[in-house]
Amino acid sequence: MSSVTGRVEVAGVEVSPDHFIGGERVASQSRFEDVSPIDAGVIAEVSRGGEREADQAVQAANEAFPGWAALGPAGRAGYIHRLADLIDENVERLAAVENADMAMLLRSLRARVISRGAKNFRSYADLATAYEERDWHSLGTWNRVQRMPAGPAAVITPWNAPFMLSTWKTAPALAAGCTVVLKPAEWSPLSCSILAELAAEAGFPPGVFNVLQGYGEEVGASLVSHPLLKRVSFTGSPEAGRQIGVAAARNLVPFTAEMGGKGPLIVFEDADLDAAARKAAGQYDDSGQVCLAGTRLIVQESVADEFLEKFHRYLDEQVLGDPREDSTTISPLIHPEHLQRVEGFVERARAEGHRIVRGGRRSEAGPLFYEPTLIEPTSNDAEIVQSEVFGPVLTFQTFSEEEEAVALANSTEYGLSGVLYTTSLGRADRVGRQVRAGIVWVNTFLVRDLTAPFGGMDISGIGREGGDYALDFYSELKTLQILEGSVG
Ligand code: NAD
């Protein structure tokens, strides 16, 4: 391991493929290949960290913690706002690297996704500063709830929205006074490397914001089992979430997890069918690699044909292509292994006799494209209905009565999100309450108020992020109780 490292050029931007620990670049001798989904070519040889790097990063975060905590919310907010400003100034660089690394549409990255990162930081810095400690008198005592920074926190993020999710998760940790060790996913590690440098440029003291690169089962596993950590926050699959939760439990460390989804998109006969069909068909844009997507279309029988006709029409307008082009609306899948995984789901569905209504094969648009696919299952128990594909594959089912729609919606192990289309307020409230999910959108999708709780039920999550819910997680809530009249 050396501390002097090279940089690589990705999409015209210089970026370091190494760790960022204690304010310095640290390289591992062992490397892994980072593949761009745009052409399946290797764009960087990234440091492949292990136990030693994980320990080094947590030690650095632990040393930096007392100073960062002592700044208080307002002191930290100055640094965090500077970081947010730097993100806004670097939208083009960040968007270019994220696009090359993950293939999210360049125009979406430029227009909103990167700047959402800046919003995440501003929003949490302001919220932490505005926190009012609760005071009250009872039982002859004066009581106050204090929010104390918890300590060094591990933050683990997935590959599908690397920059946005890393900012969404590290912002509350930093604002609450925790120091952070961020481990981005191995399939899209580069935008977080730039984020670390922007944090340094914003003046963050060394060790407050660290980034580790490498595989989940290697550096990730060493990180989350480190005894000096005080919090572990994870976004990714339920499979990895279980393992990380066990590691956190061994050290009795609080743990939150945002995990997979298999959301229903329910269309009632009273709905604006055009809007519903447009949203449903628009869900293929990141090749369906969106945890919150309503991947199970559940449509009332009386309007099923009309809905499908509109759905196909909107899907016909979609363009699979180079995610750097403005005309492209659907990007490629992240990695050859993931393409095979998606293909495996569809092939098994075909073999089981479910009807492939549309797509169901690789596309010639590029090496990692799969055609937008719609499958009508013969049974609700089918794997294609019950398991998250995380690709451009939706299922189509019908119902006659409201209760049937709710039963179908709640029939999987997941509970992350749901989407309803109806013009009835009564139905929106009634069905919205019954759908087991951390968020239910009615006649809209993906609108996010950053102060609202965010998370999943069942295998989709443990705990809540968003607003004060996240700030509480990264804090120790302490009660100070003073005998009245005993101090002056
Ligand atoms: P993943 O679980 O394979 O990996 C996520 C992260 O965890 C990666 O950084 C990985 O390196 C790390 N990791 C894996 N095993 C680990 C271990 N044993 N110890 C420590 N770290 C480990 O998930 P993925 O394939 O990167 O992402 C796709 C999944 O993420 C999907 O299930 C998707 O629904 C989910 N997701 C959920 C949300 C949400 O907000 N609920 C958001 C985005 C993605």
Side-chain angles (χ1 to χ4, degrees), residues 156-161 165 168 183-187 214-224 234-241 243-244 247 257-261 289-292 338 341 388 390 414 416 448 454-456 460-461 465:
I156 316 274
T157 50
W159 49 257
N160 68 316
L165 285 171
W168 167 246
K183 205 225 56 85
E186 48 272 44
W187 281 351
Y215 291 115
E217 57 274 25
E218 297 175 358
V219 74
S222 297
L223 171 63
V224 298
F234 166 74
T235 298
S237 63
E239 296 74 30
Q243 292 176 31
I244 296 170
E258 304 294 339
M259 297 181 281
Q289 302 168 127
V290 178
C291 56
L292 295 164
H338 193 53
R341 186 172 177 272
E388 184 185 43
F390 217 52
Y414 300 88
L416 187 61
R448 293 288 316 284
F454 177 79
S460 291
E465 298 185 329

Side-chain angles (χ1 to χ4, degrees), residues 128-421:
T129 311
Y131 179 71
E132 286 179 20
E133 296 186 335
R134 189 180 146 220
D135 284 329
W136 75 102
H137 292 267
S138 74
L139 307 171
T141 61
W142 175 83
N143 299 263
R144 167 166 279 187
V145 177
Q146 300 174 326
R147 230 186 211 170
M148 315 296 290
V155 173
I156 316 274
T157 50
W159 49 257
N160 68 316
F163 186 76
M164 201 292 286
L165 285 171
S166 296
T167 59
W168 167 246
K169 293 176 79 68
T170 58
L174 292 163
C178 291
T179 50
V180 165
V181 181
L182 167 66
K183 205 225 56 85
E186 48 272 44
W187 281 351
S188 53
L190 297 179
S191 57
C192 288
S193 184
I194 300 179
L195 181 62
E197 279 170 14
L198 295 181
E201 196 180 332
F204 280 54
V208 169
F209 190 97
N210 307 277
V211 172
L212 281 176
Q213 301 290 10
Y215 291 115
E217 57 274 25
E218 297 175 358
V219 74
S222 297
L223 171 63
V224 298
S225 54
H226 200 290
L228 286 178
L229 287 178
K230 296 296 183 199
R231 292 292 183 272
V232 173
S233 179
F234 166 74
T235 298
S237 63
E239 296 74 30
R242 282 199 173 93
Q243 292 176 31
I244 296 170
V246 168
R250 278 206 191 96
N251 291 332
L252 300 178
V253 169
F255 161 67
T256 53
E258 304 294 339
M259 297 181 281
K262 190 74 184 176
L265 188 152
I266 309 176
V267 182
F268 289 97
E269 60 190 1
D270 62 11
D272 176 343
L273 286 188
D274 198 63
R278 193 171 60 242
K279 273 291 181 229
Q283 296 187 107
Y284 292 104
D285 62 350
D286 282 328
S287 258
Q289 302 168 127
V290 178
C291 56
L292 295 164
T295 50
R296 292 179 294 137
L297 309 183
I298 300 174
V299 183
Q300 200 150 17
E301 264 160 19
S302 50
V303 293
D305 288 345
E306 195 185 341
F307 172 86
L308 267 187
E309 189 264 319
K310 289 174 183 291
F311 173 85
H312 284 300
R313 195 150 42 78
Y314 280 118
L315 201 44
D316 289 341
E317 291 172 5
Q318 306 288 335
V319 180
L320 282 69
D322 188 325
R324 293 166 291 197
E325 301 293 333
D326 280 351
S327 54
T328 299
T329 63
I330 297 182
S331 51
L333 288 152
I334 179 85
H335 196 273
E337 271 176 41
H338 193 53
L339 174 62
Q340 276 173 15
R341 186 172 177 272
V342 169
E343 199 169 42
F345 272 108
V346 178
E347 287 317 313
R348 289 192 294 279
R350 199 192 305 273
E352 285 166 17
H354 307 296
R355 193 163 83 87
I356 314 292
V357 179
R358 183 168 180 143
R361 57 175 176 263
R362 291 187 187 207
S363 156
E364 286 164 9
L368 292 178
F369 276 100
Y370 198 82
E371 284 192 4
T373 296
L374 185 69
I375 298 180
E376 193 172 358
T378 55
S379 154
N380 189 53
D381 295 333
E383 179 198 45
I384 201 69
V385 182
Q386 294 295 324
S387 300
E388 184 185 43
V389 178
F390 217 52
V393 180
L394 306 181
T395 56
F396 181 78
Q397 295 168 284
T398 58
F399 66 93
S400 54
E401 303 299 329
E402 191 177 290
E403 303 77 57
E404 207 187 327
V406 171
L408 284 172
N410 291 343
S411 67
T412 75
E413 285 187 285
Y414 300 88
L416 187 61
S417 60
V419 186
L420 310 181
Y421 274 87

